[in-house]
Amino acid sequence: MLMCRDLAEIASDYIDGELNGRQNLSVKMHLMMCKDCRTFIGNLRASSNLLSAHSSGKADEEFLRRIDERVAEALNARKIRGSDSE
Amino acid sequence: MDTAVHPESEASLIEELKRGDSTAYQKAVREYSPGMLAVARFYLDHSSAEEIVQDCWVTVIDAVQKFEGRSGLKTWLHRIVANRCKNRLRTANREVATDFSETLEPELANRFNSTGRWDLPPKLQFHESADTLMENGELSDCLDKHLSALPETQRSALMLYEAHQHKSDDVCNILDVSASNLRVLLHRARQKIFLMVETFQETGEC
Ligand SMILES: [Zn+2]
């Protein structure tokens, strides 16, 4: 029988739909009977959603501007190379 | 907060990049650099990672001419970053060590009794939606703090899979980990975030 601890070990696989049919069924059965694990799964799923919602655009502006500068330099160099060969 | 580039606009962005349009580069740099940085941080310290991402953008100017769009632009960029990082590590002769043997965080594992039942079950339900939770600036800061404290392997797997919505195959490819190890990385990282949110909801402290 699947214990709470066993369920906790495979909880992410359950959330992501990575379990096989038999495992999936035993998790579902356990969840029907166990309120604590329902809360756990719900909260783990919420944690996962939290990360998706958390803005991934965290690179700081100064870093991005430095990239802009280097790209601009390289683009110019490329243009000069291009017009030389034409 | 969905800033993902749609397929049609990705195709036109690629065309603009091929033409060397500097506005298109600025747009792409903002769209893709955070993810590229996450990949680089899997391998390298912060300043080396930033350096690699900068260098990659310069090489993209030429490389994009040969880009055929078989993979998405994001996956392609992430692969370039990963390859550069691996090369640098190879020359530096440094290995990235990771422990995949434990699927449960010790702090969570301690909450079960010897029969495998909850000793200390989760008390509260995270009832608010993710978007509502993220409007809480303190929680958002707390999440940042915890994310930066994660082992680099877990953070990159998490960012690529959750925040950048890569498919598992792509993440395995980019990070050079097996599918089963990726599952462990993701699960360990999610548990840490779970524990963090729980503490935050209970105590209001990070
Ligand atoms: Zn249970």
Side-chain angles (χ1 to χ4, degrees):
Chain A
M1 220 193 63
L2 195 76
M3 299 304 292
C4 301
R5 196 197 148 102
D6 306 327
L7 185 141
E9 283 183 356
I10 56 175
S12 279
D13 293 341
Y14 174 73
I15 289 173
D16 294 334
E18 297 275 343
L19 293 179
N20 67 34
R22 202 167 48 87
Q23 290 172 312
N24 205 46
L25 195 67
S26 57
V27 170
K28 283 210 162 104
M29 300 258 285
H30 184 105
L31 287 178
M32 269 195 280
M33 298 180 300
C34 181
K35 183 170 173 289
D36 290 337
C37 283
R38 279 203 297 278
T39 307
F40 176 69
I41 287 276
N43 288 1
L44 194 68
R45 188 180 272 133
S47 307
S48 155
N49 291 339
L50 196 60
L51 284 158
S52 313
H54 188 61
S55 169
S56 47
K58 280 289 178 206
D60 67 86
E61 192 52 34
E62 197 202 311
F63 168 62
L64 296 174
R65 263 198 298 272
R66 276 205 307 273
I67 300 178
D68 288 342
E69 278 167 27
R70 288 201 50 195
V71 167
E73 268 170 40
L75 282 173
N76 278 334
R78 195 162 195 277
K79 262 185 215 131
I80 293 162
R81 256 182 7 240
S83 57
D84 280 352
S85 61
E86 270 162 16
Chain B
M1 241 178 273
D2 183 18
T3 53
V5 173
H6 295 288
E8 319 87 69
S9 54
E10 179 168 311
S12 63
L13 179 63
I14 291 163
E15 281 315 307
E16 286 160 7
L17 294 177
K18 285 187 179 178
R19 264 186 269 124
D21 180 321
S22 60
T23 319
Y25 272 97
Q26 283 173 17
K27 187 180 165 203
V29 163
R30 268 144 200 82
E31 173 78 22
Y32 298 109
S33 297
M36 292 162 75
L37 205 52
V39 175
R41 287 289 277 137
F42 181 80
Y43 301 96
L44 304 166
D45 65 87
H46 189 73
S47 68
S48 310
E50 287 199 339
E51 211 177 290
I52 289 273
V53 172
Q54 286 191 36
D55 292 346
C56 281
W57 277 109
V58 174
T59 63
V60 161
I61 292 172
D62 284 317
V64 76
Q65 304 300 333
K66 282 170 259 158
F67 178 63
E68 289 165 359
R70 240 176 277 133
S71 62
L73 185 56
K74 182 169 73 177
T75 304
W76 180 70
L77 288 167
H78 287 184
R79 207 168 288 149
I80 293 176
V81 172
N83 286 337
R84 282 224 152 202
C85 292
K86 283 181 222 165
N87 279 337
R88 175 179 292 208
L89 285 179
R90 213 165 287 142
T91 50
N93 197 20
R94 210 182 58 170
E95 275 296 310
V96 183
T98 315
D99 178 19
F100 295 104
S101 53
E102 282 297 328
T103 45
L104 284 185
E105 281 297 307
E107 209 185 314
L108 190 69
N110 288 339
R111 290 169 60 166
F112 298 94
N113 64 27
S114 56
T115 65
R117 289 203 170 83
W118 286 102
D119 222 359
L120 219 79
K123 281 179 240 84
L124 288 158
Q125 213 170 327
F126 304 171
H127 42 262
E128 291 155 290
S129 78
D131 285 332
T132 321
L133 283 171
M134 284 326 295
E135 278 162 22
N136 182 336
E138 278 175 48
L139 178 62
S140 179
D141 289 348
C142 184
L143 188 55
D144 272 339
K145 197 176 125 193
H146 277 78
L147 282 173
S148 58
L150 284 180
E152 290 185 17
T153 50
Q154 288 177 26
R155 181 180 49 238
S156 292
L158 202 60
M159 295 312 279
L160 288 169
Y161 190 81
E162 311 261 32
H164 296 277
Q165 309 265 306
H166 271 294
K167 292 196 290 283
S168 303
D169 288 357
D170 286 341
V171 182
C172 290
N173 233 315
I174 291 164
L175 298 182
D176 224 354
V177 294
S178 69
S180 60
N181 284 352
L182 174 64
R183 299 305 314 167
V184 176
L185 291 176
L186 280 173
H187 191 42
R188 293 286 300 261
R190 275 183 191 159
Q191 290 171 66
K192 287 216 183 79
I193 303 303
F194 159 86
L195 292 165
M196 177 220 102
V197 180
E198 194 176 60
T199 305
F200 190 85
Q201 286 216 328
E202 274 176 24
T203 66
E205 274 162 34
C206 185

